[in-house]
Each structure stands twice: as C-alpha cells, then as structure tokens.
Amino acid sequence: MGSSEIERGENMSIHDYLSEALALIVLMGFALLSLFKLEKTNSVFAPYLRNRKLRIAVAIFMSLFFFPVVALIAQFFDIQSLAAKAWELSPKRRYFAEIRQRVIFDAETQAELRRNFREIKVGDLRIRLKKGRPERGHPAERIISGSSDGSEANSWSADLKASLDRLAKLLPGSPPLPVIEVRELYDSHGYFNNLFSLAINSDSDEPLRTIMHELTHLYLLWALIPGLPVDCPRWLNEGLSEHLSGEAMHDAQDWARYAMVRQQTLVDLDEVSPAFSWSGYAVEWHARDAVAMLLDRIDETTLHRMISGLRLARPFHSVYAIVTGQPFENFADDWKESFRRLRVLESLPKADVLLRLTWLAENRGFVEVQQLLRGLPVHRLSKEEQELVMGRARLFEAAKCHNRGDNLEALGWIRRVNPDLPWSDSVRKQIESARSSILAIEPSSRTDWRLPDKEKSSFSEEERFFAWLLSIFVCGLIVAFYSVLRAWLVTRLKRYWLTPSSRTAFRWLVVGITGLAGGWFLRFLVISMIPYAGLVALSDLHRIMLAEVLVIILWLVLAWQLDRWQSQSGEVQTRWSSPEAESQAGIGRNLLAFLVVGILPPLLASYQNGWRVMGLEAAQIWFAAILFLALTAAFGLVVWQAAILWKDGAGSNVGPVLVYALFRGGLAADPYGSLFALVAGWQLLKLARRTQSPSFAILGDLLLCGPALLLCTGWFPACDPVGGYWYGGGSALIWWLPAALILLLLCDAGRKCCRPG
C-alpha cells in the first residue's frame, strides 16, 4: 500500500500464541482449583458446585471469546456497528488489538457513508459513493464517478463490465452481487467478508483491481458452494484473484516481465498457502505466478472439471492428478524452477535487475522496491544505483500524493530525493510552493489512515465489568442447555437403540451420518483448515494421509461404540465366524470372480488411454495401498458386522448398500463407478450374511476395488491419496457399467439370507 500503509501492531509469533494458549490453560486450572477449594470451605456453595465445577470453568473460559464471536457473527451479517461494540468489549489481548481498531474505524466510516450516499450502476453492480463532488484526496471516488474525465470514466466502466464477463465465463455460477461501498478503510485497499457488501478504500488509485480481486473470491466461493469441498488451496484462491484483477488492469505483460522477489522469500507451493499468514513479502506474487502457469497448461473446460472435482469432497492434490493425468508434485516442481529462474533477483543478470527495479520504482512505488533492496549486496547493485532506484520510487509516491492533494506527504517523500533526478514540473512547482508557505503544508482535514485513539473507549470500566458478567451468564446458560440437551439425547438415543423395536433404518442413518459426515469433517479440518491457519508442518500429501488416518480411527471408535451398545442389548457379537454360518463352499470361486471383475475396468481404461504412466512416487503408491487396506478393514468392522446383526426390519438391506456406495463412490464423481459400488455393496452384503463373518466381506471389498486403486488413477474408487500406476482418464469410466452387470449376474447362493427390507 505504499507510503500510506500504517504501522501495524507487533506481529505475534507462534511462540506468542503458544504462550497465550498456555496462559489460558493455567487460567482454567486455577479456576478449577478455586472452585474445588470453595466447595470444601463454604457449605453454602457446596451443593451447587457439586458435579458442576467443570461446567462453570468452561463457561468462564467461553466468556473470554463471547464478544469476539458475537463480533464475527455481526460482521458476517454486515452489522458493523454491533461488531465494533462487541470488539470494544472483547478482552484486551494483543491478538484482538488490531482487529478491534480496524473494525471500529471501518464501522464509523460505513455509518458515515450510509447516512449520506449516492449510487452508480455499472451493469448489475451497485456502487455507493459519498454524496457531493468527490474530494481530490479520494481518487477511487473520482475514477468511479467519472468527474475527472468522461472518456476515462467510460473506459473504466467498460473494463469493469468486460472483466465481470470474463469472470463469469471462467468460474461457473452467478452469485448475488454485493453492494460496493467506496469509503475510507483502516489498512487495506478493500475486503469482502460477507455476501451483502464489499468495501473499497476511497484512497485507492486502482479501484478496478480491488473490485475484481474481491469479486473473484466471491465467484470462486459460489462455484464451490453447490458441493461439499474439503479443499481449495489458498494459493489458488488468492492467485486467481491476483491474476484476474491484473488482467482487468491490463498489466499481465508488464507483470510477467518485471515482477521479482528475493531468494529468502521463495517457498515451495505447499507452503504458499500458509505463507499468507506470515509477515513475509511477495506471497501474492508466488500465488499469481502459480495460477498463471496453471492457466497456461489447462483450458477453461479443464478448470471447470477441477472445480467440479473439488465440489465432490476431494482434495486438490488428487483432483489435479485425476483431471490432468500428472502428479501435482510435477507441477509444483516445474513452477518453483520457473519461478526461481524468472522471478528471483539473485538468479537474474545485473542489467535485468536494474531494469526491473526501475520499472517497479516508477510504476509500483516505494514499498516493493524497498523490500527488494533491503540487504542487497553491493556487487549485485552499487549503492549509487540503489539510491537512484529509491529516488525514483520516492518521486512516484510524491506524484501520487500531489495528485490527491497531500502536499505535506509529498514534501516528506522528496526530502531525500536527488535534485538531479528528472521529475514532473507540476509536482516541482507545487512542492516549491509548499516549501514557501506554511499554509500549503498544513495537514488537510481528511482522515485517511487515521488510527482510533487506543485509549479511548465508549465503555467505562464499570460497563465493561457488567458486560463480562453478562457474557459469563450467557455462556453459563449455553453450557447448561448443552448439558441438559446432551443428556436427554444420549438417554433417548441409547434407549431407542437398545429396544428390540428400534428401527433398522434409524440405526443405519446414525452409522452413515457419524462415519461418512464425520470423515468429511475431519478431512476438511486437516486438509483445508490447517494451511489457512498458517501451519506448514505438513505438505499437501502428508495432510491427506493424516486425515485418512484420523478417519480410520473414527471408524474404529464407531465399531467399539456399537459393540458396547450391542452387548448391552444382548445381541450376539460375531467378529470373524459364527456357528450359524452356512456352508462356505463356493466362497473361493466368488472371491476369484470378484478379483476378475475388479481388475477388468481399470485395465480397459488404461488401455483406452494408451497405457499412460502416471509417474507417482513409489512412496505415495505404498501409502495409498496401506491406507486403503486399513480403511477398508475399519469400515468393514462397522458396516458388515452391523449388516450381519441387523437382518430384519425396513432398511436392513438398503442401509448397508447405500452407506457402502457413498463410502466407495463418494458423491458420484463417476456415476458408473457409483452404480458398480451399489451392486458391489449388495453382493458383499450377501457374502457377509452367508458366512456370518465380516472378514470375507472385507476381503471381497479389497478384491473388487483394490485393483482399481493400484492400476489406474480415476474418480472411482473415491480414495485419497490416489495411487494408480496408469492414467484412467479424467471422466467417468464406462467400463464400470458392464462390470456392474457381470457382478449382478453372479450366482446368488445366499439369497435366502437377505430378506426384503
């Protein structure tokens, strides 16, 4: 943001956050100990505190975050005034300080605009501006309203409409467009944090770039909403916004030619997404360059297929491999090599470095140049050359200040500029006038980048104390309500579950929601939210593996819980075999048939695609196979065991088959594969009930779907990470349809074990 960027609060390191977390734990422990002591020493409170001490401590802990949560909810619904009040009442901690200042300032400017505004329509967009003639110090208002030049205004509107058409064509869906509010912002060019309004800083001299950047976030969010995405890499999200906003400003050619970063800022693509949470520099350039390379390699149809894959709860690491037929690691390595060769200052010849720095100084300003020159050895660029570049950057900032009427700030920029540098006569004359007249350099009345008084608060200490008591009371009610509701639900659920008359369909609904929805939630937290939280301990592939391990644990815990409930109900548990099992003659032939049926579709798909080798690393294939084995076994211990026990009632057959189809086929990315999963689930159900053992059904599942996982990379089975040796194509495989028909026609030796239900 150039020289107008404010000094932010001190950035907190990971050690600071860990210290705060430790302090909260200590506070919780101290609160519990105090309650224990109070229970022993005071007979008045003892009856109330008995069995409630932990709940009271939890309520006190929740009260610390009560007002921040209220503020976030208010911001989501675009109630900035309520959000500002809530942030004011939040605890005075370092990690809340900057957010509080920002929201309070933005709430004031929003209220001021909404009291007195006019609207301009550009296509379907509504843009709100302050009433009256735009001030000279608000270039965004001038550009948008077109008061400076009619032809320029027409050109700006045409560029905005063309950019919106490009965005609508590139990303599927037509989201409801928010109102764009042009007003003063605390420390950003713009932001989009709800579906009702989008804020643009009136001080910005590139409102089109900011509008398109934020609208790209909205369109991408809307494109993913129809499904259940577990992953949208932040580098893709931010990089696409940077790329399309750059296209709107027609700077793609200049950016590709002059963009540059330092060696110490270079990170792997796995680390780009978390790097947005660091205090580093040029992360946006990493993301934009990666997206530019991605769009060079794929067309719009392929991008739409990627988005469709992300909708279906598959991670980007797998979707990229399935859609393009290449491991994502290949793309990441190619991008980093290209970025290092074309963008890293230390890798470029001196003449090219000087050319790029000069362009950046004259077109981007002081901050970007300063970051590139910081600590640069003199053998790369002499001190004189560095001073020359910095002088040009200062003149660029001075000209910007002059254009918006900030003569005092312009004077500050040119104080250290070499007078021999050529620069605008109009700026020179204005600054000369400023030097000679104290009135010309008086700070103007405008409040751009004004910081709220940190000590000033609209609440007294007494009001803050009563607000804190209110938060404890409300959190106490929430904890009490949750405790009562949880006890009621557990009692009813357990009683209903253990009654002989309990419906089988209800049981399968509980199993499906707990296992499948719980697995989706774990994948979402580990694969998507970890990088958004700024944690870089694991790569994309290792996050997928960690998520799958947690899903395996979830299914094992579910198996243990079902065993407990079933043992209490008196139903017989059958783990591996049972005296009630029918003759197992012919089981070997069935398993061999399963293997043949499972091998044919991936081999035919690989042949259809020319036996194209995927090139996945051996370690990934091995890990994919191990996780597949473990997850299949954990799933089978729940589903096939339950299918053996719950043989009667409505849903006794349909329930396990549907759960299996959703487990193996996902959200039907390959409809033929999902149809095959339905038939396979039916055959495995019969096998489990015929043998009265889940082990044979687990083995049959491995034989039916294991070959596809190892031989060919495709949408089915929906297992992550992918591990196929050959490429099976990025679309649905028709070969699963005849395989489903063959499987359906297999000898039905156990039909009498599957009563209609």
Side-chain angles (χ1 to χ4, degrees):
M1 275 176 271
S3 63
S4 298
E5 185 166 7
I6 65 162
E7 287 293 328
R8 298 190 178 195
E10 184 181 355
N11 291 321
M12 293 183 64
S13 66
I14 185 65
H15 302 290
D16 296 325
Y17 284 110
L18 290 176
S19 300
E20 292 285 345
L22 180 61
L24 287 175
I25 294 174
V26 171
L27 178 64
M28 282 282 292
F30 177 76
L32 276 174
L33 288 175
S34 301
L35 292 172
F36 272 109
K37 184 177 179 180
L38 184 63
E39 181 185 10
K40 290 182 178 180
T41 59
N42 194 320
S43 58
V44 177
F45 293 101
Y48 179 79
L49 292 176
R50 190 174 297 115
N51 300 325
R52 294 188 179 93
K53 293 180 288 296
L54 181 60
R55 298 175 192 174
I56 295 173
V58 169
I60 295 174
F61 178 78
M62 289 175 58
S63 69
L64 300 176
F65 301 94
F66 175 77
F67 285 110
V69 170
V70 171
L72 291 175
I73 295 173
Q75 286 179 258
F76 180 78
F77 288 101
D78 196 28
I79 313 174
Q80 289 282 65
S81 57
L82 175 60
K85 298 296 184 185
W87 279 118
E88 276 196 86
L89 293 170
S90 300
K92 294 182 178 180
R93 306 304 301 165
R94 290 170 58 195
Y95 41 82
F96 291 151
E98 186 182 345
I99 302 175
R100 177 166 51 243
Q101 294 175 19
R102 180 186 302 114
V103 174
I104 292 173
F105 180 82
D106 290 350
E108 291 176 359
T109 59
Q110 184 190 67
E112 183 181 350
L113 174 67
R114 292 185 176 183
R115 282 194 297 267
N116 187 25
F117 69 88
R118 58 194 173 95
E119 277 193 358
I120 294 177
K121 289 204 69 175
V122 179
D124 294 329
L125 278 177
R126 292 185 299 141
I127 305 176
R128 285 180 182 171
L129 302 165
K130 198 181 294 185
K131 270 188 180 180
R133 185 177 179 83
E135 300 178 22
R136 187 179 180 186
H138 294 164
E141 292 182 357
R142 238 180 336 119
I143 293 172
I144 294 174
S145 63
S147 63
S148 57
D149 182 83
S151 60
E152 181 182 339
N154 293 334
S155 172
W156 187 89
S157 301
D159 287 342
L160 178 56
K161 291 177 183 177
S163 300
L164 285 174
D165 292 340
R166 160 77 168 144
L167 187 57
K169 182 181 179 183
L170 188 65
L171 297 175
S174 300
L177 296 177
V179 176
I180 298 177
E181 296 183 338
V182 183
R183 52 189 171 86
E184 299 171 52
L185 300 181
Y186 179 79
D187 64 348
S188 67
H189 289 303
Y191 60 78
F192 152 66
N193 56 15
N194 60 74
L195 298 176
F196 306 101
S197 67
L198 189 159
I200 303 297
N201 201 324
S202 57
D203 185 63
S204 172
D205 53 3
E206 292 182 330
L208 177 58
R209 183 188 298 275
T210 308
I211 290 173
M212 289 309 303
H213 181 103
E214 302 303 333
L215 286 180
T216 302
H217 288 311
L218 172 62
Y219 268 78
L220 185 57
L221 173 66
W222 197 260
L224 294 171
I225 275 180
L228 294 172
V230 299
D231 186 23
C232 177
R234 197 170 179 184
W235 67 262
L236 177 64
N237 193 346
E238 293 291 342
L240 195 60
S241 298
E242 287 289 319
H243 181 79
L244 293 178
S245 61
E247 280 189 354
M249 296 298 296
H250 308 290
D251 74 346
Q253 184 175 356
D254 288 335
W255 181 87
R257 183 176 178 184
Y258 297 112
M260 192 166 47
V261 300
R262 293 293 298 276
Q263 176 68 40
Q264 63 263 29
T265 65
L266 180 63
V267 295
D268 293 330
L269 199 52
D270 280 338
E271 299 179 29
V272 170
S273 293
F276 280 96
S277 301
W278 304 347
S279 57
Y281 168 70
V283 180
E284 294 86 352
W285 285 11
H286 286 69
R288 179 173 177 176
D289 194 80
V291 166
M293 175 179 282
L294 179 67
L295 295 180
D296 282 342
R297 293 190 172 189
I298 64 174
D299 54 18
E300 292 180 6
T301 303
T302 306
L303 180 63
H304 288 173
R305 288 166 58 200
M306 281 188 178
I307 292 174
S308 299
L310 293 175
R311 286 176 179 173
L312 301 175
R314 299 296 295 274
F316 184 84
H317 189 276
S318 297
V319 170
Y320 181 88
I322 295 171
V323 171
T324 65
Q326 295 180 349
F328 178 68
E329 287 79 7
N330 288 3
F331 172 80
D333 292 342
D334 291 348
W335 165 79
K336 187 173 182 181
E337 175 58 31
S338 171
F339 194 79
R340 186 196 306 275
R341 179 169 41 86
L342 300 176
R343 298 276 179 261
V344 175
L345 184 149
E346 287 82 352
S347 303
L348 300 171
K350 179 178 178 179
D352 195 8
V353 170
L354 186 58
L355 177 65
R356 295 189 186 205
L357 284 171
T358 303
W359 185 88
L360 289 170
E362 296 175 347
N363 293 272
R364 294 299 182 194
F366 183 79
V367 171
E368 292 188 17
V369 172
Q370 184 187 44
Q371 295 284 354
L372 290 169
L373 291 178
R374 182 172 296 162
L376 186 66
V378 292
H379 70 270
R380 284 282 175 189
L381 219 61
S382 68
K383 287 292 184 183
E384 292 76 15
E385 290 170 324
Q386 294 186 34
E387 285 298 327
L388 181 66
V389 170
M390 293 295 283
R392 293 184 182 278
R394 290 188 177 98
L395 288 179
F396 172 79
E397 300 292 352
K400 284 175 58 177
C401 296
H402 163 68
N403 290 337
R404 63 173 183 254
D406 282 345
N407 294 319
L408 177 62
E409 193 172 351
L411 177 59
W413 277 114
I414 67 166
R415 288 177 63 187
R416 297 178 59 187
V417 173
N418 186 337
D420 296 332
L421 277 176
W423 45 297
S424 167
D425 287 339
S426 62
V427 178
R428 184 190 299 273
K429 291 176 181 178
Q430 191 71 25
I431 299 305
E432 292 292 340
S433 174
R435 287 183 188 278
S436 60
S437 173
I438 189 63
L439 294 177
I441 61 172
E442 279 290 327
S444 60
S445 58
R446 51 189 292 274
T447 56
D448 296 63
W449 312 104
R450 178 187 63 212
L451 294 179
D453 187 353
K454 294 183 180 180
E455 303 301 324
K456 183 181 177 181
S457 175
S458 56
F459 297 100
S460 65
E461 290 300 322
E462 291 78 9
E463 290 172 328
R464 293 179 62 85
F465 176 74
F466 283 112
W468 181 66
L469 290 180
L470 174 65
S471 68
I472 294 180
F473 177 73
V474 174
C475 291
L477 289 179
I478 294 173
V479 171
F481 176 76
Y482 167 78
S483 301
V484 172
L485 181 64
R486 180 180 179 277
W488 181 81
L489 284 176
V490 169
T491 303
R492 288 298 183 93
L493 181 61
K494 186 176 179 180
R495 183 184 305 166
Y496 189 69
W497 186 280
L498 299 180
T499 7
S501 61
S502 65
R503 296 172 185 253
T504 307
F506 169 77
R507 292 184 173 188
W508 281 114
L509 181 63
V510 172
V511 170
I513 291 177
T514 306
L516 299 177
W520 172 87
F521 184 68
L522 288 174
R523 292 181 178 107
F524 172 74
L525 286 181
V526 175
I527 297 174
S528 180
M529 294 311 294
I530 280 181
Y532 269 82
L535 303 179
V536 292
L538 299 174
S539 66
D540 291 346
L541 177 60
H542 290 93
R543 281 196 300 273
I544 293 173
M545 292 163 54
L546 174 61
E548 295 307 307
V549 169
L550 294 177
V551 172
I552 292 169
I553 294 173
L554 171 67
W555 282 106
L556 291 175
V557 170
L558 184 57
W560 171 78
Q561 181 62 54
L562 293 182
D563 273 352
R564 286 186 61 203
W565 282 0
Q566 292 303 137
S567 62
Q568 294 176 25
S569 69
E571 297 186 35
V572 179
Q573 294 300 296
T574 304
R575 261 291 167 255
W576 303 112
S577 62
S578 168
E580 299 178 7
E582 296 186 11
S583 170
Q584 296 180 4
I587 296 297
R589 289 194 297 272
N590 280 356
L591 294 177
L592 180 61
F594 285 174
L595 178 61
V596 173
V597 171
I599 284 179
L600 286 177
L603 287 180
L604 291 171
S606 302
Y607 167 76
Q608 186 179 21
N609 285 276
W611 302 105
R612 177 177 161 189
V613 178
M614 278 292 298
L616 298 172
E617 294 182 0
Q620 177 174 335
I621 297 176
W622 277 108
F623 279 121
I626 293 171
L627 290 171
F628 177 80
L629 287 170
L631 188 55
T632 300
F635 173 83
L637 291 177
V638 175
V639 173
W640 306 129
Q641 177 66 33
I644 294 171
L645 294 171
W646 306 336
K647 295 183 292 186
D648 302 316
S652 59
N653 296 330
V654 175
V657 172
L658 285 179
V659 171
Y660 176 80
L662 288 171
F663 173 76
R664 276 287 172 244
L667 299 178
D670 186 339
Y672 303 117
S674 293
L675 177 62
F676 176 82
L678 283 171
V679 177
W682 178 254
Q683 293 291 351
L684 293 172
L685 172 66
K686 293 189 295 183
L687 181 62
R689 288 179 176 168
R690 176 185 172 187
T691 61
Q692 289 291 296
S693 170
S695 58
F696 287 101
I698 292 172
L699 181 57
D701 187 10
L702 293 173
L703 295 176
L704 282 169
C705 298
L709 174 81
L710 297 176
L711 294 177
C712 135
T713 295
W715 292 111
F716 183 85
C719 300
D720 298 303
V722 294
Y725 184 76
W726 291 293
Y727 181 52
S731 55
L733 298 184
I734 189 65
W735 305 112
W736 289 114
L737 182 58
L741 294 176
I742 294 172
L743 192 61
L744 188 63
L745 296 176
L746 283 177
C747 178
D748 188 6
R751 182 184 301 273
K752 64 181 180 179
C753 296
C754 296
R755 304 190 185 112

